[in-house]
Amino acid sequence: MKKFLIILLIVIAVLSVIGYAAGKYMCDFALRPEPHGAADIDRTRHKADSLLAGSTAWYDSLHVAGLLRDTTVTGYNGYKVHACFVPAADPATAPGTAIVVHGYTDNHYVFLYLVRMYRDGFNYNVLFPDLQYHGLSEGPAVQMGWLDRYDVEKWADVAHDVFNNDFMVVHGVSMGAATTMMMSGDELPPYIRAFVEDCGYSSVWNQFKTNLKDSFNLPPFPILNCASLVCRMLYGWGFKEASSMAQLAKCDRPMLFIHGDADDFVPFSHLQMNYDAKVNGYKEMWVAEGATHANSFARYPEEYTQRVQVFLEKVYAME
């Protein structure tokens, strides 16, 4: 009996070491990708132009004119986080402020098409941050939106102080959309009036399950379970708790859901899951036919802009 117990303990110890090693590898693979940081800004300049021609020249011209500013604050966990902000084209008549949130391995630079849409198209003030471990922000790892939401909430306060505007929309793409949905279920100030999510995942668990199958042809158990446990040990959260759907169930503010029906990175099925999870408050859905992941604007720039504008006008009229 004693020999059996010793063997059992050895087996458990070996399996634990193997499980931790596999979980650590997958956790690092997903949450500490390369490249990142300041050097990544140059890598993504061409991506901003590919999504909307002339974006980098527009960005640079605002910098030269002194209209586009950089700022840093201390994030929820003590790391420095960075954002840019720019006033509306006509600040005196600006109807609102937008927070634009980028996606996984992107940065504030990539989604300049949204910054331009809000500033030049809608005459909104705009703040667009780098999430932790992206762009010019510090941070130990990608937080997949779950803890990033606390930084975005802090940025909303900063934008409100800078622009003194009581109508704010948070608009995110991909991981930024998940951040937006995860944020929407928190206790928020009244000036945050609306959300737009574009191709966000229903939960980190569901997204990584898809990635694990597509990239490695592996089932979620046991590797994803081990990776989630390692993530909790290192960063304080697990993959299943990081749920857009759970947060949406607590959201009662208006939201526009956008997803391309040809998206195979964040599966199109996540759109309906997220939409159905929001049971309170006004909501709209737009399916961008034929659009792949984060491609809805590039495929339908005029319709995308019109749908967002009409949605915001509806929300603005709500009292």
Side-chain angles (χ1 to χ4, degrees), residues 1 9 14 82 88 92 96 101 117 133 140 142 188 195 229 236 282 289 296 319:
M1 186 67 178
L9 289 174
V14 170
H82 164 266
V101 191
M117 179 186 77
Y133 200 79
V142 179
L188 300 172
F195 302 94
L229 181 60
Y282 183 73
E289 294 185 6
S296 296
E319 294 294 340

Side-chain angles (χ1 to χ4, degrees), residues 185-255:
D186 288 347
E187 291 289 332
L188 300 172
Y191 58 78
I192 299 178
R193 296 281 303 278
F195 302 94
V196 180
E197 77 86 15
D198 181 346
C199 66
Y201 40 82
S202 57
S203 72
V204 173
W205 178 273
N206 288 343
Q207 182 58 34
F208 282 172
K209 181 172 68 173
T210 297
N211 297 149
L212 191 63
K213 184 178 187 301
D214 290 347
S215 299
F216 300 98
N217 198 27
L218 291 172
F221 181 83
I223 294 178
L224 202 55
N225 303 75
C226 293
S228 180
L229 181 60
V230 171
C231 182
R232 182 174 296 281
M233 293 168 59
L234 295 177
Y235 308 120
W237 59 278
F239 297 164
K240 288 188 176 180
E241 75 179 275
S243 170
S244 301
M245 293 185 297
Q247 290 291 94
L248 285 166
K250 299 184 288 184
C251 172
D252 61 1
R253 304 188 194 195
M255 184 172 295

Side-chain angles (χ1 to χ4, degrees), residues 195-197 199 254-261 268-278 282-288 303 307-308 311 314:
F195 302 94
V196 180
E197 77 86 15
C199 66
M255 184 172 295
L256 172 60
F257 296 80
I258 300 171
H259 216 116
D261 64 4
F268 178 57
S269 59
H270 287 227
L271 171 63
Q272 196 66 52
M273 295 164 66
N274 288 328
Y275 187 81
D276 291 345
K278 179 174 164 52
Y282 183 73
K283 59 183 178 180
E284 290 184 12
M285 177 197 296
W286 175 44
V287 176
E303 184 173 3
R307 285 183 178 272
V308 173
F311 168 74
K314 290 178 183 177

